[in-house]
Structure formats: C-alpha cells, structure tokens
Amino acid sequence: MADTTPTTGHRGPDHRATVRDVARRAGVSPGTVSKALNGTGQISSATRERIRSAAAELDFRPNALARSVFGRRSFTVGVITTDSFERFSVPVMLGAEDALGAGRMSVFLCDSRGDPIRERHYVEVLLERRVDGFIVTGRSSNQRPPLAGTGDLPVVYALTPSADQQDCSVVVDDRTSGTLAGEHLLRLGRRQIAHVTGPDDFDAVHQRLAGLRTALQAGDATLVGAPMFGGWTEAWGRQATQILLRAHPEIDAVHYGSDLLARGGIDALRDLGRRIPEDVAITGTDNWELLTEGARPPLTSVDMGLAEVGRTAAHRLLDAIDGRPHAGREQVGCHLVVRASTDGTA
Amino acid sequence: MADTTPTTGHRGPDHRATVRDVARRAGVSPGTVSKALNGTGQISSATRERIRSAAAELDFRPNALARSVFGRRSFTVGVITTDSFERFSVPVMLGAEDALGAGRMSVFLCDSRGDPIRERHYVEVLLERRVDGFIVTGRSSNQRPPLAGTGDLPVVYALTPSADQQDCSVVVDDRTSGTLAGEHLLRLGRRQIAHVTGPDDFDAVHQRLAGLRTALQAGDATLVGAPMFGGWTEAWGRQATQILLRAHPEIDAVHYGSDLLARGGIDALRDLGRRIPEDVAITGTDNWELLTEGARPPLTSVDMGLAEVGRTAAHRLLDAIDGRPHAGREQVGCHLVVRASTDGTA
DNA sequence: ATGAAAGCGCTAACAC
DNA sequence: GTGTTAGCGCTTTCAT
C-alpha cells in the first residue's frame, strides 16, 4: 500500500504534526519522542538530536491540551475581575499575568462586571477548562463573599479580600498609606492638616483616615476639621477643599484619599489664591501618574503597589497549587512618591 | 474483588467525576452519557433524565481539555496586547472578552509589553494550547508588523492595524473624529479654530488633523496657526495653548487631540482669563470620562468607540474561525459627546 | 435506543 | 537506550 504521507511530512494546511509524525520521521517510536523532547528517561544524544531536528522540520508543537488531559495540571489559571478593568484591577491583573507567565502558566481573563450570575458562569467554564486555580480581583478594599463552587481548587483574592478570614487574600495597606502621608507632612513642618476622602462606606476610606490620625497623634497634632467624606470625584475634591479652607483658613496641608480628589483640591486652592506647597501642601493617594505628573504642581502621592498585589497574589496561588497553601490576609507595602506639591524643590 | 468505589461516587477530594462515573451511576455506558449530555444521538427521555441527575449528583463537569483533544477546536483565543493594558487597549480587550464570552469562547490574556521576544513566546505558548485564533491589540493607530509564526490560524488586529493591508484589522476612525469636532465647532459659530495635538509620528495625529481640516474647509474656514505637535501630556496642552493664544488672540475654539491635552488647555485658558465656552470653546478626543467629567467645565469630546473596536474584532475573529475570513481594514464609528466646554447649557 | 470499541495526542510503566 | 503497551476523558462510528 502506498504511503500517502509526503516526505515533507506536511499533511495539508490545517493538519498539525503529532508525536507520531515526528517519530516516523526520526525513525523511532512515539514514546521515545516524548522522552527526548521532555528530557525524561535516558536517550542517546544522537537520537535526541535526530528527534529534535525532525520535530523542528515538522514545526512540531506538543499539544498542551492532550498533555493536560493526562497530567493532573493544566498550567492555566482563571483571573476573574469584578471591576470591568477599571483602573484598580488592571495593574493587579498585569502583575499577576507577569508573575504567572514566568511560571509558564497562562491566564484566562474573565470580566464578571460585578454580576454574581456572570461570576458563577465563569467559574463553571473555568472548571471545565481544568484551571489549576483562581485569582479574584475587584475594585475596592471592601471584602466580598468567597468565590462559590470552586471545590477544592485554590483561590487567591487580590485587592478585594474574601469575607472569610481563612481564605488567602492579598491586599493593599490602606492604613499605612495614611500614615506615610501624615508623617511626610509633619516632617515638612505642617501642623494644620485636613483630610478629604471618598464615600463613608469604603473600608479603605476609614483605614486611610485611621492611618493618618495615627501619624498626627504621634506628632502631637490633630486633624483640622472633620474628615470630608464624599464621592471619588474631582468635583468633590474642589468643593470639600473650599468648605475646609473657608472654615479653617489656617490649614497648611491637605491629604486626599485619591489623586482625583487631590486634583480637584489643587484647582480649588488655586482659586483661593493659595500657593502650593508654600501655603498649603498637598498629598494624594494612588500615585496614578497620568494625574500626578500633569498636576500643577506635580502631586506627591502614595503608591499603593497594585502591581505588586497582583504579583504577590500570583505567587501565593502558585504556592497553593504546589501544595503549600497560604491562609489569611496579607498586606503589600505602599510607599510615598514625593513631588512638588509638597516639596518645592522636587 | 471488592468494589472500592463508594456508592456516592466520590473518590476523594481531588478526584473529579468522569463520564465513566456518571455512566456507572446511571447504569448506562459512557457513550450514552456523552450523547445524553450533548443532545446528540437518540436517547429516551427517561434515561436522559436519569443521566442528567446522576451527573448533577456527582457534580460532573465535562473536561474541556479532553473534548478539545478530540475535536478540532478548543474554543479559546489568545489576546495579545503590546500596551501593558494602558488605557487604550483595556477597553478594546474588554469589548473582545465580552463578545467572545457570549460565543462560549475563553480568552487567554497575554501582555507582551511591546517586546517582540515576549510576543513570539506568547504565540508559541498559545499555539501549544491550541487556541482557535488571535486578537492583537496595541496602543496607537500606527500599523505594526504582522504577528509572526501563527501558521494558518486566524489573526485579527484591533486598534493597531497590521502593516499587511490584506490582514484583518479593526481600527478607530481618526479622520472622522477630527471632522466631528470641526463640524460641531463650526455649528456653534466658531470660525477661529486652532488645534493642539500629539507627536508628529503618530498616524492618528495626522488623520485627526486631516479630518478637522476637511470640516473647516467645508465650512469655508481654515485652521488658525499651525497645528501644535507635541507630547501627549497636560503640560504640552497648557504650553501649546499659551503659545497659540499669544500669537492668535482671536482664537474662539481649540480642538485637542486628546482629553489630557484638553485638560491642560483648559488650565491655560483659565490662566489667560478666557471663559469657556463663551470666549473659547474646547473639544477633546477619547472621551475618557474620568477626565472629561471632572473638567471645569466638563469637556466635550469624541468617543472613539474602543470597546466597539474590541467587540467587532472578536466578531471578525469568530467569523474567521467559522471559515468566513475577513480581509482588510475596517473602521469603527466614533461619536461626539457634547458637554459644557462647548455648550454652556449642557 | 443503547452498548462496544476505536481513537484524539500525549505520557508513563514496563519490557527488551 | 528504545519500543511496546496502556491509558488519560471524551466522542463517535458501528453494531445490536
């Protein structure tokens, strides 16, 4: 019977070479090909080389699917965001993908848009794809219900922690962010420090405020006026700043719970004729460069380390997949980036 | 020999039920389970129901990997971004994931960070995972070299088109964005219109400018002063605006090539004591709500339809996977979002 | 309508 | 060292 396989080994445009094709071409058995290409078992370097070149000539690419059916791992993880990739979860996902890719893992991207039905659906789909684990990320520091239906697969929560304290969650250090800002302002000699921040129902808002207060107390100072809770908008940043400075003209520094709020604050202070930082020093939170660099003057801000949250979450997940689970919440450090809004020489 | 399988069918925490388990429990053969669950073949509704409940009781989840090994599709696609998920590729990816998820496809997320080595690596990995196709997205409208090494798999370029005109690319309509802004400003009665935009080496910059000029010519107007090419920064928006208004105090409108530039422009105009929109009307490009809504006054801007680019790219890819390939570049429409920076009553 | 058997591409045990 | 065999979980003829 004629061999229908041409010598090139190519069998039409949409056929891919298999171990069998490579084996035939190298004159060995499929099992040997597997060993040679994976470095398992004992193979003479002569045949290994022959197999290598046969594989190369056929443009052979091992089928990861088939491989995973056999093995117990797929080397994939699902990343579920509830945040529609708004600015907070993006850096987290980026960091996670970075760390996971280095570990030869691929990432399934899922956007649940905060809808539990969609989230449930994605879990189902990912389970069918036999992911090795999940990373769940959200928008705020407020805790969320644990991801349901994942069986015994490891789950790591990033940015938005699980309500179950035993689950592995990697979060930012909101408290310290406030402390860093406060300490910085005190170090500059400011004593009349106010705070403008986001909505009352954000955990991050209260943590940041608590951290700020801690720093002020340690420096024998107290917050000027009440903390200004409101929306995460520039408009609120402007309005709150006007209110504050009207009531407390002695204010010489304001710490803002976000960079957007701080941008509004800068606008308002300019309108009021206050110089930054000579009259009033300004600090923001998030260190979102797009906003901080373009500000007049450029804005000192606390970098929450979002990418690091993603990377750390990925490492915790990899550990869990390798049988070394982590439990509880872990905080990633934040750091202050000083710019001209507090340091005129910067 | 004793049957070691307990009647519950569960075989330890990390064992997952297979068709065989379901078959045993329902008292049928594996093949029948497959047919029943997939709706193929002829099954009596009685046994179908029995199989269904057996599957449910065992929490059976078909292994998508095994299924794909057999079939010719994996129902996965790779999305490669060169943009580190900066603000342009994010909405595109979001739109793509949305459209693909509806088609029961899962998305592998890959961030090449613009590094050709990494890109190549990702292509390899994704080929091994037997993706059904690729979406490539980038940061700008500048074309890029075709994705190499994808064999005969379909590739769709989103936002950043392929240099090969025959490849399927889905892009924004930069030209029309300029036209829309120009027409809007003319309609408001403005005649002294200037333009501040990004670097000279961006295709988008030239297209947007050309579109703007088209509109002005149609309205028997011409651009005031030279187009101001510079960085995509607020600082350039401020500086360029100052230069323009010093040289041409008669300017009654400025169209900006990005919202960030426009924000800078607004600041500069305020410094110069010009009222917006009474003295000078302002339009931006991108309609990035974070920047447009917080501006004083809120900024009229052209929405480039990035999510729609992603969704369209996904649909083109799905078509190609289904054997109906598209070729050439396709533009997605943009639209103007009017706010108070051009319409004082908005 | 259901079962038996073969096979997808790969790997791992065990021969030789 | 290398080949043979069996099997991963699923689907799909082909019998019955």
Side-chain angles (χ1 to χ4, degrees):
Chain A
M1 193 190 285
D3 183 356
T4 52
T5 308
T7 18
T8 66
H10 288 298
R11 302 199 243 150
D14 47 336
H15 189 277
R16 302 170 128 93
T18 74
V19 271
R20 239 186 303 278
D21 300 323
V22 177
R24 198 176 315 149
R25 183 164 245 260
V28 294
S29 76
T32 309
V33 171
S34 173
K35 290 170 203 155
L37 263 29
N38 293 313
T40 51
Q42 319 266 48
I43 303 283
S44 77
S45 52
T47 39
R48 161 165 294 131
E49 214 27 67
R50 199 147 38 86
I51 290 173
R52 272 205 205 302
S53 49
E57 288 160 22
L58 293 178
D59 199 28
F60 169 72
R61 245 173 275 276
N63 185 328
L65 272 39
R67 191 178 265 173
S68 299
V69 170
F70 192 90
R72 65 190 299 89
R73 291 182 53 178
S74 67
F75 291 91
T76 59
V77 312
V79 173
I80 301 180
T81 175
T82 60
D83 182 29
S84 289
F85 307 137
E86 292 296 330
R87 59 193 181 286
F88 297 116
S89 58
V90 173
V92 174
M93 295 199 28
L94 191 62
E97 198 270 346
D98 182 32
L100 290 165
R104 302 206 54 66
M105 313 268 310
S106 294
V107 169
F108 280 116
L109 171 70
C110 306
D111 176 16
S112 77
R113 304 194 214 151
D115 175 2
I117 308 286
R118 285 179 75 94
E119 180 172 291
R120 181 78 208 188
H121 168 75
Y122 276 123
V123 169
E124 292 287 331
V125 169
L126 292 173
L127 285 177
E128 293 189 357
R129 299 210 183 273
R130 295 300 189 261
V131 293
D132 297 331
F134 297 88
I135 291 179
V136 183
T137 182
R139 177 165 74 93
S140 79
S141 300
N142 289 18
Q143 62 183 32
R144 51 153 289 151
L147 193 62
T150 53
D152 46 14
L153 279 179
V155 182
V156 175
Y157 300 81
L159 202 53
T160 295
S162 166
D164 184 339
Q165 299 278 345
Q166 291 310 300
D167 290 338
C168 176
S169 300
V170 180
V171 297
V172 297
D173 189 350
D174 285 308
R175 198 164 215 294
T176 300
S177 82
T179 305
L180 288 179
E183 290 174 349
H184 177 63
L185 293 172
L186 288 170
R187 213 178 299 122
L188 295 170
R190 310 295 164 134
R191 309 289 302 172
Q192 311 297 333
I193 300 172
H195 186 45
V196 175
T197 187
D200 193 27
D201 59 345
F202 273 66
D203 288 352
V205 162
H206 294 285
Q207 291 299 316
R208 291 172 186 184
L209 170 59
L212 175 61
R213 283 200 154 118
T214 303
L216 296 193
Q217 275 161 19
D220 243 356
T222 55
L223 211 56
V224 176
M228 303 293 282
F229 303 110
W232 292 117
T233 65
E234 267 184 281
W236 172 239
R238 285 193 294 265
Q239 190 188 343
T241 303
Q242 282 163 358
I243 296 171
L244 274 173
L245 271 103
R246 192 174 310 137
H248 310 278
E250 72 276 18
I251 285 172
D252 59 10
V254 186
H255 175 50
Y256 292 85
S258 84
D259 291 335
L260 206 57
L261 288 170
R263 287 292 304 252
I266 288 177
D267 264 7
L269 288 168
R270 181 188 321 283
D271 288 353
L272 293 166
R274 309 291 175 115
R275 293 168 306 161
I276 304 171
E278 295 82 353
D279 301 330
V280 183
I282 291 293
T283 52
T285 311
D286 288 341
N287 192 35
W288 198 12
E289 297 203 349
L290 185 87
L291 293 177
T292 57
E293 300 286 3
R296 269 198 308 176
L299 180 67
T300 294
S301 187
V302 184
D303 190 311
M304 302 304 290
L306 294 180
E308 192 56 28
V309 168
R311 268 190 294 271
T312 303
H315 287 131
R316 296 300 165 263
L317 184 61
L318 291 173
D319 278 354
I321 291 170
D322 285 342
R324 299 186 305 276
H326 293 245
R329 294 195 186 167
E330 177 177 355
Q331 284 185 331
V332 165
C334 52
H335 65 276
L336 190 77
V337 178
V338 178
R339 298 195 182 84
S341 71
T342 56
D343 176 3
T345 69
Chain B
M1 193 190 286
D3 183 356
T4 54
T5 308
T7 17
T8 68
H10 288 300
R11 304 199 242 150
D14 49 337
H15 189 279
R16 303 170 127 91
T18 72
V19 271
R20 241 186 303 278
D21 300 322
V22 177
R24 198 175 317 147
R25 183 165 245 261
V28 295
S29 76
T32 309
V33 171
S34 173
K35 289 169 204 154
L37 262 31
N38 294 312
T40 51
Q42 320 266 50
I43 303 283
S44 77
S45 52
T47 40
R48 161 166 295 130
E49 214 28 65
R50 199 148 37 87
I51 290 172
R52 272 205 206 302
S53 50
E57 287 160 24
L58 293 178
D59 200 26
F60 169 73
R61 245 172 276 275
N63 185 327
L65 272 39
R67 190 177 266 173
S68 298
V69 170
F70 193 90
R72 64 191 297 93
R73 289 183 56 177
S74 68
F75 292 92
T76 60
V77 312
V79 173
I80 301 179
T81 174
T82 61
D83 180 30
S84 288
F85 306 136
E86 292 295 332
R87 57 192 181 288
F88 298 117
S89 57
V90 172
V92 174
M93 296 199 26
L94 191 62
E97 198 269 346
D98 182 31
L100 289 166
R104 302 212 104 272
M105 313 267 309
S106 294
V107 169
F108 280 117
L109 171 71
C110 305
D111 176 17
S112 77
R113 304 194 213 151
D115 175 1
I117 308 284
R118 286 178 73 93
E119 179 172 294
R120 181 78 208 186
H121 169 74
Y122 277 122
V123 170
E124 292 287 333
V125 169
L126 292 173
L127 285 177
E128 293 189 356
R129 297 207 185 275
R130 296 299 189 262
V131 293
D132 297 331
F134 296 88
I135 290 179
V136 184
T137 180
R139 180 164 72 93
S140 79
S141 301
N142 289 17
Q143 63 183 31
R144 51 152 289 151
L147 192 62
T150 53
D152 46 14
L153 279 178
V155 182
V156 175
Y157 301 82
L159 201 54
T160 295
S162 166
D164 185 338
Q165 300 278 345
Q166 290 310 301
D167 289 339
C168 176
S169 301
V170 180
V171 297
V172 297
D173 188 351
D174 285 309
R175 196 165 218 293
T176 300
S177 81
T179 305
L180 288 178
E183 289 173 347
H184 177 62
L185 294 171
L186 288 171
R187 214 175 301 123
L188 295 170
R190 310 296 163 135
R191 308 290 301 173
Q192 312 296 333
I193 300 172
H195 186 45
V196 174
T197 185
D200 193 27
D201 58 346
F202 274 65
D203 288 351
V205 162
H206 294 285
Q207 291 300 316
R208 291 170 186 185
L209 171 60
L212 176 61
R213 283 202 155 116
T214 303
L216 297 193
Q217 276 161 20
D220 242 356
T222 56
L223 211 56
V224 176
M228 302 295 281
F229 302 109
W232 291 117
T233 65
E234 267 183 280
W236 172 239
R238 287 193 292 263
Q239 191 187 343
T241 304
Q242 282 162 358
I243 296 172
L244 273 174
L245 271 102
R246 193 173 310 137
H248 308 278
E250 73 276 19
I251 285 174
D252 58 11
V254 186
H255 175 51
Y256 292 85
S258 82
D259 291 334
L260 206 58
L261 289 169
R263 289 294 301 253
I266 288 176
D267 263 7
L269 288 168
R270 181 189 320 282
D271 288 353
L272 293 167
R274 309 291 175 116
R275 292 168 305 163
I276 302 171
E278 293 81 355
D279 300 330
V280 182
I282 292 293
T283 52
T285 311
D286 288 342
N287 191 35
W288 197 12
E289 298 204 347
L290 186 86
L291 294 177
T292 55
E293 300 285 4
R296 273 198 306 174
L299 181 65
T300 294
S301 187
V302 184
D303 189 312
M304 302 304 289
L306 295 180
E308 192 56 28
V309 168
R311 267 190 293 271
T312 303
H315 286 131
R316 297 298 165 264
L317 183 61
L318 290 173
D319 278 354
I321 290 170
D322 285 342
R324 299 186 305 275
H326 293 244
R329 294 194 186 168
E330 175 177 357
Q331 285 187 330
V332 165
C334 52
H335 64 276
L336 190 77
V337 178
V338 178
R339 298 193 183 85
S341 72
T342 55
D343 176 4
T345 68

